[in-house]
């Protein structure tokens, strides 16, 4: 058995939500089932009819309305307002009245008294849909005469085209001593979160809506709903309790607009909507499938000279965040390396495939297998150690990245690589490979990855924090960004407790509520703890100063420097006299007990490279970095890959809560291993063939090794307590690290350029060596 190297973890205080979640007391949106509520469900006939693109001739509702317990069947004619939503581009109908553009498009909405009546009503609906020619390949969608997904668009099926340039890549590649080329492809990926898309909504007597939704962006949801249904967004209240997973799949409207429409037609009764797993797979957002054509130029010492990349992204039937995902992928296409000459072009294309959107790694996961694959091939071509090649070219603070941004923040990729270089799994890799059992190959591979933090330039990446000194003398934080399991709410409680010098038990939390909290953006992009944490520390510092000032009057102290805020009290240090916080609180009006502060993430102001076609989100100034190592075994008879050991070294600035840091690194690695090896999302003419978790496989505990998390000791000066966001970067490393390990096993690198690396593909990559060995024995 391979030796396990478990990480050592210093003590971390328990997460704020640990006990409630462990005992089942925590209430998610899925748990909200108000007494007397109606149940709403969308009718999506395309999947049942096998039609991914078609004209809606009509919907027969008579049989459904005859089902006992079915109250209403709504169609596009019942939708007030423009009936279009989308984060950037308003191109997706709430209910389709003319055409469906993918198999999961809804054409009707059923309201029923019970879940059973809802199911029967949906089953009784009939739609008359005329099949239309569809387009399912992004390259085909760009050809002249291809069917248009959105008729009348001036750009046809091209949603967006963009380009980044720095230096003269053509001349640099022409003169480069070593040039490598490769075409790579990455697949659709399903989020597969535990809690499916769900929520509850009720129209209030004054006409506003009160909603509780599993969402990553409650404040933005109000505006999506308002725009789609012609409502005042400020009349919509949205609460976002803890999410049972999101990973980007709940960043944007899922149930929100449908649920709001149902509530408007429910006569004031609450309405619940919860998709089942099959509907979640059918209608939920997916990771974009992408194709990359790359050229890398270097000198004979392995120093990178030039890199060119052409990207093609499939955004599916609607824009959602397609352009923005492609932009971030383009920004990261050249890897975390110094390259003086670069050119990256990207095209994002409409097809009649399922809607693609945000997913952890947000475009970077599509780019990292390509640039890291070519780095391994360059190391092999030059006979260099692949880790040393990366270290030789790794970005450092003060360098200019491939987009022309000067890196002024912490940039500790070399330290991540150094941590792997000293690890026994790396130093002992050749001995371990040589001891492989019969019919087994062993390999050790690595990858170096990075991920931009925040929204990037073009829109304010701001958070606003409110903290209250309660009437009982405790402290309460009004959290504005959703916690989808990553533990940011616990991080906020810990930050506040440290700043206010209080026990964590004295800190209360209100989770996002658009009526009680301040807008602070979405829970995404590795920004949450960084932005809201900075705002929170400012608010806590202001409240602390105010409390000391007010306590000075009661303690008859004329020097604030002599006062100290301690757990439960304010102390006059020279005399030891103390004022209990519970007493102080009774003297203060609420306005005096509340502090609000904001923080705006810094952005890159000067960029030496040029960029065209970008709307928002480019470029970034701050990045998280990581280096990953995978030790694998391959069965020569079946091609099955077993990941025996895994190590990730991460630069997330200063670590606030080690357990939370490790969980982010390990969770990202686990999800990335599924992306690398198992998750083979199958489509045929826009119809999903892997529509549930029996046919779409994700890793279980039995598929994963122990994942060692190493924290690089760094500090991001602009971050709260020196930290950076690490939620995204961990997913980007596994696919290239596993492919690297397969190259170490002797696989043909040209056959490792398409994910996932299924047993069939791995076996094909192994065949040339096996056949050569067989011919040698025959001779």
């Amino acid at each position: 058995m391979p030796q396990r190297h478990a990480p050592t973890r210093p003590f971390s205080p328990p997460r704020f939500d640990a006990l409630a979640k462990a005992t089942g007391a925590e209430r998610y949106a899925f748990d909200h089932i108000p007494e007397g509520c109606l149940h709403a469900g969308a009718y999506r006939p395309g999947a049942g009819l096998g039609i991914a693109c078609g004209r809606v001739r009509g919907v027969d509702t008579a049989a459904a309305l005859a089902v006992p317990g079915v109250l209403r069947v709504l169609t596009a004619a019942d939708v007030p307002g423009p009936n279009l939503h989308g984060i950037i581009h308003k191109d997706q109908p709430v209910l389709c009245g003319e055409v469906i553009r993918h198999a999961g498009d809804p054409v009707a909405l059923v309201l029923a008294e019970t879940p059973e009546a809802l199911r029967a009503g949906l089953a009784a609906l009939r739609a008359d849909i005329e099949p239309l020619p569809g387009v399912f390949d992004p390259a085909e969608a760009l050809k002249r005469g291809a069917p248009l997904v959105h008729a009348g668009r001036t750009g046809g099926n091209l949603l967006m085209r963009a380009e980044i340039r720095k230096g003269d890549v053509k001349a640099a590649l022409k003169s480069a001593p070593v040039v490598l080329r490769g075409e790579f492809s990455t697949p659709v990926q399903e989020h597969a979160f535990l809690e499916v898309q769900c929520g509850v909504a009720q129209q209030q007597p004054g006409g506003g809506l009160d909603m509780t939704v599993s969402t990553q962006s409650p404040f933005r949801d109000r505006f999506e709903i308002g725009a789609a249904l012609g409502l005042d967004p400020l009349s919509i209240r949205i609460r976002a309790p803890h999410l049972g997973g999101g990973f980007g799949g709940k960043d944007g409207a899922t149930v929100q607009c449908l649920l709001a429409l149902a509530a408007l037609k429910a006569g004031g009764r609450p309405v619940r909507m919860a998709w089942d797993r099959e509907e979640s797979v059918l209608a939920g957002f997916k990771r974009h499938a992408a194709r990359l054509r790359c050229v890398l130029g270097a000198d004979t010492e392995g120093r990178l000279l030039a890199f060119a990349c052409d990207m093609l992204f499939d955004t599916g039937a609607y824009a959602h965040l397609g352009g923005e995902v492609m932009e971030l992928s383009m920004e990261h296409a050249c890897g975390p390396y110094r390259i003086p000459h670069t050119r990256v072009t990207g095209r994002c294309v409409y097809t009649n495939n399922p809607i693609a959107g945000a997913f952890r790694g947000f475009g970077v996961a599509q780019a990292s297998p390509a640039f890291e694959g070519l780095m391994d091939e360059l190391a092999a071509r030059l006979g260099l150690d692949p880790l040393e090649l990366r270290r030789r070219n790794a970005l450092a603070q003060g360098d200019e990245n491939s987009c022309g941004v000067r890196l002024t923040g912490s940039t500790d990729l070399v330290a991540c690589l150094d941590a792997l270089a000293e690890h026994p799994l790396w130093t002992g890799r050749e001995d371990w490979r040589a001891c492989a059992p019969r019919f087994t190959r062993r390999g050790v591979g690595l990858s170096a990855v990075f991920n931009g933090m925040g929204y990037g330039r073009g829109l304010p990446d701001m958070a606003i924090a409110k903290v209250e000194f309660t009437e009982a003398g405790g402290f309460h934080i009004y959290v504005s960004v959703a916690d989808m399991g990553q533990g940011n709410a616990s991080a906020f409680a810990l930050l506040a407790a440290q700043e206010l010098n209080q026990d964590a038990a004295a800190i209360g939390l209100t989770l996002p509520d658009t009526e009680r909290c301040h807008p602070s953006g979405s829970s995404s992009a590795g920004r949450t703890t960084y932005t809201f944490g900075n705002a929170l520390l400012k608010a806590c510092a202001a409240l602390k100063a105010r409390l000391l000032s007010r306590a000075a009057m009661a303690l008859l102290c004329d020097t604030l420097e002599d006062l100290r805020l301690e757990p439960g009290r304010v102390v006059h240090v020279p005399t030891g006299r103390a004022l209990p916080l519970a007493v102080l609180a009774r003297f203060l009006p609420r306005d005096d007990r509340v502090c609000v502060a904001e923080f705006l993430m810094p952005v890159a102001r000067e960029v030496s490279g040029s960029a065209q076609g970008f709307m928002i989100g480019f470029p970034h100034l701050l990045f998280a970095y990581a280096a990953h190592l995978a030790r694998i075994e391959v069965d020569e008879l079946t091609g099955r890959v077993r990941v025996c050991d895994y190590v990730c070294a991460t630069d997330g600035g200063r670590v606030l809560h080690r357990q939370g840091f490790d969980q982010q690194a390990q969770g990202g690695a686990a999800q990335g291993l599924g992306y690398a090896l198992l998750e083979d999302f199958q489509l045929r003419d826009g119809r999903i063939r892997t529509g549930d978790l029996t046919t779409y496989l994700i890793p279980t505990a039995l598929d994963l090794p122990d994942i060692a998390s190493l924290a690089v000791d760094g500090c991001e000066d602009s971050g709260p307590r020196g930290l950076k966001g690490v939620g995204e970067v961990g997913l980007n490393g596994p696919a290239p690290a596993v492919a690297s390990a397969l190259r170490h096993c002797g696989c043909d690198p040209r056959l490792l350029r398409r994910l996932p690396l299924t047993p069939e593909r791995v076996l094909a990559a192994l065949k040339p060596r096996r056949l050569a060995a067989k011919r040698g024995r025959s001779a």
Side-chain angles (χ1 to χ4, degrees), residues 322-665:
E324 292 65 42
V325 171
M326 183 191 75
E327 287 177 2
L328 200 68
S329 192
M330 292 174 62
E331 187 177 356
H332 291 74
C334 306
Y337 304 114
R338 290 185 302 275
I339 309 178
H341 304 280
T342 59
R343 179 188 58 79
V344 181
T345 60
R347 291 171 296 168
C348 190
V349 184
Y350 285 111
T351 67
N352 293 111
N353 290 324
I355 310 165
F359 199 134
R360 189 182 202 171
F362 203 86
V364 188
Q366 289 92 323
S368 58
F371 66 70
E372 285 300 278
L374 288 180
M375 288 295 282
D376 269 348
E377 293 181 33
L378 178 63
R381 173 80 68 88
L382 298 176
L384 296 175
D385 178 282
L387 191 149
E388 177 54 33
L389 175 66
R390 289 166 168 84
R391 186 158 47 189
R392 187 172 299 177
N393 292 283
L395 288 167
Q397 191 172 33
D399 285 342
E400 191 178 87
N401 70 11
S402 58
C403 300
V405 174
R406 186 72 60 186
L407 299 175
T408 57
S410 63
T411 310
D412 290 322
L413 178 59
V414 170
C416 295
L417 290 166
D418 288 344
L420 293 190
E422 299 168 0
H423 200 282
L425 294 184
W426 182 253
T427 58
R429 66 190 185 281
E430 295 302 337
D431 290 341
W432 185 75
R433 182 172 71 160
C435 296
R438 192 180 183 194
F439 301 121
T440 300
R441 295 195 198 178
R442 287 176 167 177
V444 178
L446 79 159
S447 62
V449 292
F450 67 146
N451 210 108
M453 285 173 50
Y455 296 147
R457 205 166 68 186
L459 71 166
D461 197 341
M462 179 180 287
I464 308 171
K466 179 171 74 173
V467 60
E468 179 182 2
F469 179 47
T470 69
E471 291 180 337
F475 297 89
H476 199 91
I477 305 167
Y478 293 84
V479 179
S480 302
V481 283
D483 189 327
M484 51 184 167
Q486 75 270 46
N488 59 6
S490 296
F492 300 146
L494 182 58
L495 281 169
Q498 292 175 349
E499 183 66 24
L500 296 167
N501 194 27
Q502 300 296 304
D503 297 330
I507 309 297
L509 296 176
T510 289
L511 293 178
D513 180 338
T514 59
E515 189 172 279
R516 304 180 68 191
C517 306
H518 292 269
S520 295
S522 60
S523 182
S524 63
R527 64 177 293 278
T528 308
T529 307
Y530 176 88
T531 52
F532 190 83
N534 267 320
L536 178 62
L537 287 179
K538 290 172 66 177
C540 287
L543 182 59
K544 178 181 177 180
R546 184 177 298 174
L547 294 182
L548 293 178
S549 176
R550 303 302 184 266
M553 293 186 288
L555 292 170
L556 303 177
C557 172
D558 60 2
T559 305
L560 296 182
E561 288 75 12
D562 290 339
L563 296 178
R564 184 169 65 220
L565 184 60
E566 293 186 349
R569 62 181 190 166
V570 176
V571 176
H572 183 245
V573 176
T575 64
R577 289 182 290 119
L579 177 65
L581 292 180
V583 174
L584 177 60
R586 294 205 303 268
F587 287 96
L588 304 181
R590 188 173 189 273
D591 287 351
D592 218 19
R593 292 186 281 107
V594 174
C595 282
V596 176
E598 62 189 46
F599 175 80
L600 182 64
M601 181 179 281
V603 297
R605 295 296 179 188
E606 296 181 4
V607 182
S608 67
S610 64
Q612 296 178 343
F614 289 85
M615 293 182 60
I616 57 174
F618 175 85
H620 288 73
L621 180 64
L622 302 176
F623 298 83
Y625 298 85
H628 285 211
L629 179 150
R631 188 158 82 158
I632 68 169
E633 289 184 341
V634 182
D635 187 321
E636 289 189 315
L637 303 179
T638 66
R640 181 177 179 269
V641 177
R642 185 171 77 91
V643 183
C644 304
D645 300 274
Y646 202 88
V647 183
C648 40
T650 309
D651 162 31
R654 186 163 291 150
V655 177
L656 172 67
H657 188 275
R658 183 56 192 267
Q659 183 186 61
F661 178 94
D662 290 340
Q663 287 171 344
Q664 283 292 291

Side-chain angles (χ1 to χ4, degrees), residues 44-320:
R44 308 177 190 274
L49 296 172
I51 299 173
C53 181
R55 180 172 291 107
V56 181
R57 290 173 167 171
V59 180
D60 185 354
T61 64
L65 288 169
V67 173
V70 171
L71 301 184
R72 300 203 62 172
V73 178
L74 307 175
T75 63
D78 299 299
V79 181
N83 189 22
L84 289 171
H85 66 92
I87 295 176
I88 307 296
H89 305 271
K90 307 296 184 187
D91 63 357
Q92 183 177 352
V94 180
L95 291 176
C96 298
E98 298 180 359
V99 296
I100 61 170
R101 296 182 176 88
H102 78 109
D105 261 341
V107 301
L109 186 65
V110 176
L111 275 70
E113 293 279 3
T114 65
E116 295 76 17
L118 175 61
R119 286 193 292 269
L122 289 169
L125 282 171
R126 294 292 180 269
D128 181 8
I129 298 180
E130 174 193 357
L132 295 174
V135 60
F136 310 104
D137 180 279
E140 294 296 319
L142 292 175
K143 291 183 178 179
R144 186 185 300 273
L148 294 178
V149 179
H150 294 267
R153 284 192 80 253
T154 55
N157 289 325
L158 181 65
L159 168 64
M160 179 178 172
R161 186 188 187 281
E163 182 180 70
I164 302 170
R165 282 183 180 270
K166 190 181 81 163
D168 188 343
V169 73
K170 184 176 181 180
L173 285 173
K174 186 175 181 180
S175 62
V178 183
V179 176
L180 295 94
R181 303 174 186 274
E183 295 187 13
F184 297 80
S185 66
T186 60
V188 171
Q189 187 181 17
E190 165 66 26
H191 293 83
F193 26 64
L194 285 175
E195 181 195 33
V196 293
Q197 299 89 333
C198 60
V200 174
Q202 185 173 17
Q203 189 172 28
Q204 301 300 297
L209 292 174
D210 192 331
M211 306 179 68
T212 298
V213 185
S214 187
T215 175
Q216 294 176 227
S217 48
F219 289 90
R220 191 178 64 216
D221 287 348
R222 295 181 303 168
F223 291 91
E224 279 218 63
I225 296 166
L229 303 182
L231 304 175
D232 176 4
L234 299 183
S235 71
I236 303 168
R237 177 183 186 178
I238 296 183
R239 286 175 263 212
H242 282 286
L243 281 68
F247 312 118
K250 296 174 183 174
D251 190 8
T254 56
V255 300
Q256 288 90 321
C257 295
L258 292 166
L259 191 56
L261 173 63
L264 293 176
K265 307 294 183 178
R269 294 177 64 178
V271 184
R272 180 176 187 263
M273 173 178 269
W275 297 356
D276 60 21
R277 180 61 61 185
E278 289 75 14
E279 186 175 13
S280 178
V281 175
L282 174 66
F285 305 123
K286 308 285 177 281
R287 186 185 298 282
H288 293 75
R291 302 172 192 169
L292 292 80
R293 190 168 63 249
C294 307
V295 185
L296 176 65
D299 66 19
T300 55
E301 300 297 317
R303 292 180 182 83
L304 304 183
L305 302 175
F307 184 79
C309 180
D310 293 312
M311 295 182 161
L312 184 64
F313 272 69
D314 181 355
T315 199
Y318 301 105
H320 190 44

